[in-house]
Amino acid sequence: TRQTGNLTGLISCDSSVVYDASTTGSTQLVALTSGQTIYVCGYDITVGSTATNVKLTYGTGTACATGLTSLTPAFQIAANGGVIHASPLWGGMKTAASNALCINASAANAVQAVVYYTKF
């Protein structure tokens, strides 16, 4: 059986956002724009001296609290460790339309992140 579907052209990311804080819970990285979708090409996340679970999420409302949905698993990052997913092109990770992009940390530990994205 042959499957057919819509083809999507190459999507490259033209924006980035930096997160550098020691907060627990969700923090908005990219604000929602009505009718637009945020396409994530890559990320670089590191943590400080305490192991911390960190994930990317999306939703609406303050800090993505409404309709909270995970984009990544909760990476269990060891103290002074990190996780990198780098690509100049979109690989399939995106928010739902009209949703913000957030980061969620399990502990009030230093977390630094750069997320590469585009939206339209």
Side-chain angles (χ1 to χ4, degrees), residues 23-39:
T23 59
T24 188
S26 290
T27 302
Q28 181 175 290
L29 296 177
V30 181
L32 67 84
T33 301
S34 182
Q36 291 193 342
T37 299
I38 302 167
Y39 297 83

Side-chain angles (χ1 to χ4, degrees), residues 43-54 74-86 109-114:
Y43 47 83
D44 182 350
I45 303 169
T46 59
V47 302
S49 61
T50 302
T52 306
N53 298 342
V54 181
F75 296 114
Q76 298 174 5
I77 304 174
N80 302 309
V83 61
I84 297 173
H85 171 73
N109 179 40
V111 175
Q112 295 78 36
V114 179

